[in-house]
Amino acid sequence: MLPLPRLLFPQSLLCTISNPHPLSLLTSTTSSRRITALSQSRQQAAAIPSESAVRDFWQWLSDEGVANSSSSPPPVKPEFVPEGLGLVAQRDITKNEVVVEVPKKLWINPDTVAASDIRRVCGGLKPWVAIALFLLREKALGLASSWRPYLDILPRATDSPIFWSEEELSEIQGTQLLSTIMGVKEFVQSEFIKVEDDVILPNKDLFPSPITFNDFLWAFGILRSRAFPRLRGENLALIPLADLINHSSSITSEDSFWEIKEKGFFSRELIFSLRTPIYVKAGDQVYIQYDLAKSNAELALDYGFIESRPDREVYTLTLEITESDPFYGDKLDIAETNGIGETAYFDVILGSPLPPSMLPYLRLVALGGADAFLLESIFRNSVWGHLELPVSRANEETICRVVRDACKSALSAYHTTIEEGQAYPLLEI
């Protein structure tokens, strides 16, 4: 019997910092508006650094040679903007002009941890866990930390829904994002319990101040929201100043806007170089595109905002070959031969064709009865080609029924209708 597609999220999502994997979310207009409205209300409630903290941060950068520019004034400075803090042009900036260069000595990455006082207790930890502990320890040191000017401008919480209250989370009931959020928080909590038992509590000399789960979740959220693409996993890094740049949906260029390069022809010092993808007038904010490939769920989970672009609207359909299937072994062999496994995740994008392997996999899972002859070894090398077309009327009716029932099941999880949601006062944004 074909199993009902389960509305789950991949386990690898729980490790997105070290193992990025697409997240997915089916957002109705109602859910989209709720996420946007909640995000906007939280921006006002989030702690914005003081003007003195921003001045101290800029002075710190100047002392370290980052804010000193051969041109006067420097291309950008950190200023208060609607998003919180951002990079504002101090003069007209041409397209592709370098606006920020940060030397490696100011990056916070695994090498930073390895050179710190906690290096001896961080061996074997996941990079993000080690950096999270470093952030928390330096934060607890206060004025004694050389990183204080940077830490003082970091928000107490991001707009990510991992920081939402239960009441706020109830506004996205029925979405896959909600179950993903809960799963991510469970994952972070499990990591915290392990590192608390193995590292924090046995080393009070290094961690004299209590570290709570909420502290650890804060560090996770900071890393998730501020790390640049490709600077994750083993290469995870925070880049002060550069990480203040905000996102704009109007920028659709897929060209890389940053690079890591050597400072000069005869220097081995690495620098992070950030460019503007468009011309920017003096006084305007410099923006980039965070990631065109991210779904709205990824944007919401990482940064706390979503976009109205149809290709951001994604729903993950989870299918599996159950062990109770009498043809389990044959079906699994065929699936694995074609690059899929016992469980498969298919992202259905609004307004786009279905994933090319989705229907063949559905037909494979539903295969049985008079159609089971296709599972014989003689057809093993050609069966996938047969599955790209309808196998039989019964097989097609089965997969249509299963997908329809799965959609009904997903919709039933919402606690309001679209009409009721549109009338909800929180939607006034």
Side-chain angles (χ1 to χ4, degrees), residues 194-257:
K194 286 190 293 185
V195 79
E196 183 183 39
D197 291 341
D198 298 343
V199 178
I200 299 173
L201 294 180
N203 295 282
K204 287 289 188 179
D205 57 322
L206 295 175
F207 304 98
S209 301
I211 295 178
T212 66
F213 166 67
N214 285 336
D215 295 329
F216 195 67
L217 184 66
W218 168 83
F220 175 85
I222 289 295
L223 291 171
R224 190 161 186 129
S225 64
R226 305 182 87 85
F228 283 84
R230 304 200 314 275
L231 288 184
R232 300 199 174 201
E234 296 297 321
N235 298 318
L236 180 62
L238 292 178
I239 313 293
L241 185 61
D243 64 0
L244 292 180
I245 197 160
N246 288 311
H247 166 90
S248 174
S249 59
S250 65
I251 296 175
T252 57
S253 171
E254 293 189 84
D255 295 337
S256 177
F257 49 84

Side-chain angles (χ1 to χ4, degrees), residues 336-348:
E336 291 178 341
T337 299
N338 290 277
I340 311 177
E342 178 180 6
T343 304
Y345 307 96
F346 297 100
D347 287 346
V348 181

Side-chain angles (χ1 to χ4, degrees), residues 27 39 127 151 171 194-195 264 325 383 392 405 412:
T27 51
S39 177
L151 297 172
E171 297 303 324
K194 286 190 293 185
V195 79
D325 190 315
V383 64
S392 67
D405 291 346
S412 68

Side-chain angles (χ1 to χ4, degrees), residues 292 294-295 308-314 349-350 352:
L292 285 173
K294 284 183 182 290
S295 69
S308 58
R309 283 174 35 197
D311 59 344
R312 297 280 199 192
E313 303 286 6
V314 183
I349 303 173
L350 183 64
S352 299

Side-chain angles (χ1 to χ4, degrees), residues 3 6 43 59 63 108 137 140 145 199 209 225 291:
R6 295 179 297 144
Q43 282 179 2
Q59 184 60 53
D63 294 343
I108 298 180
R137 184 175 187 274
S145 171
V199 178
S209 301
S225 64
D291 194 333

Side-chain angles (χ1 to χ4, degrees), residues 165-414:
S165 67
E166 290 186 9
E167 181 180 359
E168 289 170 328
L169 288 174
S170 70
E171 297 303 324
I172 57 171
Q173 180 179 326
T175 66
Q176 287 185 321
L177 177 60
L178 179 58
S179 61
T180 300
I181 292 166
M182 303 313 294
V184 167
K185 292 183 74 171
E186 288 176 8
F187 165 73
V188 176
Q189 186 160 35
S190 69
E191 291 293 322
F192 172 68
I193 291 172
K194 286 190 293 185
V195 79
E196 183 183 39
D197 291 341
D198 298 343
V199 178
I200 299 173
L201 294 180
N203 295 282
K204 287 289 188 179
D205 57 322
L206 295 175
F207 304 98
S209 301
I211 295 178
T212 66
F213 166 67
N214 285 336
D215 295 329
F216 195 67
L217 184 66
W218 168 83
F220 175 85
I222 289 295
L223 291 171
R224 190 161 186 129
S225 64
R226 305 182 87 85
F228 283 84
R230 304 200 314 275
L231 288 184
R232 300 199 174 201
E234 296 297 321
N235 298 318
L236 180 62
L238 292 178
I239 313 293
L241 185 61
D243 64 0
L244 292 180
I245 197 160
N246 288 311
H247 166 90
S248 174
S249 59
S250 65
I251 296 175
T252 57
S253 171
E254 293 189 84
D255 295 337
S256 177
F257 49 84
W258 64 269
E259 63 179 333
I260 293 175
K261 61 183 183 180
E262 294 183 349
K263 188 173 183 179
F265 290 111
F266 304 103
S267 173
R268 292 186 178 182
E269 182 183 9
L270 296 179
I271 60 172
F272 178 95
S273 180
L274 179 68
R275 302 187 303 274
T276 172
I278 60 173
Y279 168 79
V280 183
K281 291 183 179 179
D284 289 349
Q285 189 177 172
V286 178
Y287 290 102
I288 59 172
Q289 164 64 238
Y290 281 174
D291 194 333
L292 285 173
K294 284 183 182 290
S295 69
N296 265 337
E298 288 179 288
L299 293 178
L301 191 65
D302 287 351
Y303 313 113
F305 66 80
I306 59 175
E307 294 181 354
S308 58
R309 283 174 35 197
D311 59 344
R312 297 280 199 192
E313 303 286 6
V314 183
Y315 188 83
T316 297
L317 193 64
T318 304
L319 304 170
E320 69 172 2
I321 304 169
T322 61
E323 293 186 7
S324 60
D325 190 315
F327 304 105
Y328 170 79
D330 290 324
K331 291 181 179 180
L332 181 59
D333 183 45
I334 293 170
E336 291 178 341
T337 299
N338 290 277
I340 311 177
E342 178 180 6
T343 304
Y345 307 96
F346 297 100
D347 287 346
V348 181
I349 303 173
L350 183 64
S352 299
L354 293 174
S357 297
M358 178 176 156
L359 285 178
Y361 190 87
L362 270 168
R363 291 174 180 134
L364 174 66
V365 175
L367 215 55
D371 302 319
F373 73 93
L374 288 171
L375 298 171
E376 294 178 8
S377 58
I378 192 175
F379 298 109
R380 193 55 45 96
N381 294 328
S382 60
V383 64
W384 197 257
H386 290 294
L387 294 172
E388 291 177 347
L389 298 172
V391 174
S392 67
R393 182 182 182 88
N395 185 272
E396 290 295 293
E397 287 178 346
T398 298
I399 66 173
C400 287
R401 182 175 66 254
V402 167
V403 172
R404 180 193 61 198
D405 291 346
C407 291
K408 287 182 177 179
S409 175
L411 290 172
S412 68
Y414 288 86

